[in-house]
Amino acid sequence: MAKNNLISGSIWDEYSQKVQDLMNNPRHMGELTEEDAKATNTKLIVADFGAESCGDAVRLYWLVDEATNIIKDAKFKSFGCGTAIASSDTMAGLCIGKTVDEAVKITNIDVEFAMRDNPETPAVPPQKMHCSVMAYDVIKAAAAQYKGVNPEDFEEEIIVCECARVSLKTIKEVIRLNDLKSVEQITQYTKAGAFCKSCVRAGGHEKREYYLVDILAETRAQMDKERLAKATLSDNFDDLTVVKQIKAVEELLDAEIRPMLHMDGGDLEVIDIQKGNDGMCDLYIRYLGACSGCSSGSTGTLYAIENVLQENLSPNIRVIPV
């Protein structure tokens, strides 16, 4: 006899078998009462959370041993889709046996990962990741009720990606530590932007305060300024070795010149720096892309490059296109 499933058709191939099973047969669905608490000498906690983006809601029940703060039992009621049921059931199961402080550390990534059939394949499609986020948020609500604090007290950082629960601080640190240059790299390192993608850029299904494209641009700009400041505060440019001079020039070009050239489809490369007979530092460059052959390369663009280098590094720099 064929297994009775609520789901059929290729559209459901994106859902793991665990998710499909829990949609039909949740293990922890139900409610706990004051009678249950008295019978087990525990404290009953009932917390609610609703997701504005989809209208789903979940109620979480805990029986907590106040002597040890261990969650002895957990059940839920879910008012929403099948994925919300599966996520809430998994979340409730993960809570059992943990202390309240340990339960607060359960993330939506933990919930989603526990529903996977294998570690490499997501349990649900990206647009359904918010269901596991809802499960995470109701845990905070329950813990806050138990401890007599606000749920926000458990959120110490600004969350940019709700799906993967990645903070602004983490994203900035990862960009800096790994010298990331694209949103795709941020996603590879943190999972931010891998699911519903609302945090990638403006225009997604949910408006965000912070977007990955802006965080990347702002962090990269700050990194360039810091490199420039470091170069400016170092030894006198004219006394540096050629290798250090080229490095200082490259960092300044990256911060102030190349972004302008890239907007027009162009670029430049540094060929060499040589000491002229007149005491000037001759910087030889080659224009690339749209800048190659452009008439302003020997006039306006050249003057702008030379002016930036002279003001920030040394008045003795002379730029020579080749």
Side-chain angles (χ1 to χ4, degrees):
M1 182 175 179
K3 183 177 179 179
N4 180 28
N5 256 336
L6 290 177
I7 352 186
S8 62
S10 60
I11 189 174
W12 300 108
D13 291 344
E14 294 183 82
Y15 294 82
S16 71
Q17 191 58 52
K18 285 183 181 178
V19 170
Q20 297 183 41
D21 291 342
L22 291 175
M23 286 181 180
N24 289 328
N25 303 296
R27 300 162 299 176
H28 304 289
M29 180 180 283
E31 62 181 286
L32 297 168
T33 66
E34 288 292 352
E35 287 72 20
D36 295 320
K38 290 178 182 178
T40 56
N41 195 29
T42 56
K43 181 176 182 178
L44 175 66
I45 298 295
V46 183
D48 296 319
F49 185 84
E52 295 181 3
S53 60
C54 63
D56 289 352
V58 62
R59 174 168 291 171
L60 176 63
Y61 300 86
W62 278 352
L63 292 181
V64 184
D65 182 347
E66 294 184 271
T68 61
N69 295 322
I70 291 176
I71 301 164
K72 293 296 187 178
D73 199 2
K75 291 188 181 297
F76 77 97
K77 284 185 176 179
S78 181
F79 308 95
C81 66
T83 308
I85 293 173
S87 298
S88 298
D89 190 82
T90 302
M91 170 271 299
L94 290 173
C95 289
I96 298 173
K98 290 183 173 62
T99 65
V100 172
D101 288 336
E102 290 171 339
V104 169
K105 296 178 182 179
I106 296 172
T107 69
N108 63 304
I109 292 298
D110 296 325
V111 173
E112 189 273 335
F113 196 84
M115 296 190 296
R116 294 186 177 192
D117 292 332
N118 62 75
E120 291 76 31
T121 306
V124 297
Q127 64 269 26
K128 285 296 183 178
M129 275 299 297
H130 67 271
C131 295
S132 58
V133 173
M134 185 172 63
Y136 166 76
D137 283 320
V138 78
I139 289 178
K140 288 196 300 180
Q145 185 182 141
Y146 179 74
K147 288 177 169 288
V149 299
N150 294 319
E152 292 75 15
D153 291 346
F154 297 111
E155 199 67 83
E156 299 178 352
E157 300 179 9
I158 298 170
I159 299 298
V160 173
C161 179
E162 293 287 352
C163 295
R165 304 303 293 180
V166 185
S167 70
L168 178 63
K169 179 181 178 182
T170 295
I171 293 171
K172 287 184 174 181
E173 287 180 345
V174 169
I175 292 172
R176 287 177 172 275
L177 288 172
N178 301 283
D179 195 25
L180 304 187
K181 297 180 175 63
S182 70
V183 170
E184 290 74 20
Q185 289 178 321
I186 295 175
T187 300
Q188 290 173 359
Y189 276 81
T190 68
K191 288 187 169 63
F195 302 104
C196 78
K197 301 189 184 303
S198 286
C199 65
V200 174
R201 58 179 53 82
H205 79 271
E206 185 177 344
K207 185 177 180 180
R208 307 289 302 162
E209 182 178 359
Y210 295 91
Y211 295 98
L212 298 184
V213 291
D214 299 326
I215 297 170
L216 177 63
E218 292 169 5
T219 305
R220 294 293 312 179
Q222 184 62 35
M223 290 167 64
D224 289 338
K225 287 182 179 179
E226 290 169 1
R227 291 191 187 104
L228 175 59
K230 184 178 180 180
T232 304
L233 293 173
S234 63
D235 297 333
N236 184 281
F237 180 84
D238 296 331
D239 297 331
L240 297 176
T241 65
V242 172
V243 172
K244 290 185 177 181
Q245 285 181 335
I246 291 178
K247 182 178 179 181
V249 168
E250 288 282 9
E251 290 178 348
L252 183 57
L253 292 175
D254 284 342
E256 302 292 337
I257 300 299
R258 286 197 171 98
M260 174 183 67
L261 300 182
H262 291 167
M263 291 178 62
D264 295 324
D267 202 346
L268 65 81
E269 63 176 339
V270 174
I271 304 300
D272 194 12
I273 292 180
Q274 296 181 5
K275 194 77 169 182
N277 294 329
D278 54 1
M280 297 291 286
C281 288
D282 291 331
L283 172 66
Y284 294 89
I285 65 170
R286 178 184 292 118
Y287 291 116
L288 304 173
C291 292
S292 179
C294 178
S295 59
S296 66
S298 58
T299 55
T301 299
L302 177 62
Y303 299 148
I305 296 171
E306 197 168 71
N307 184 61
V308 168
L309 293 170
Q310 289 176 350
E311 286 188 355
N312 290 278
L313 295 179
S314 169
N316 297 321
I317 294 176
R318 178 166 52 205
V319 181
I320 303 175
V322 297

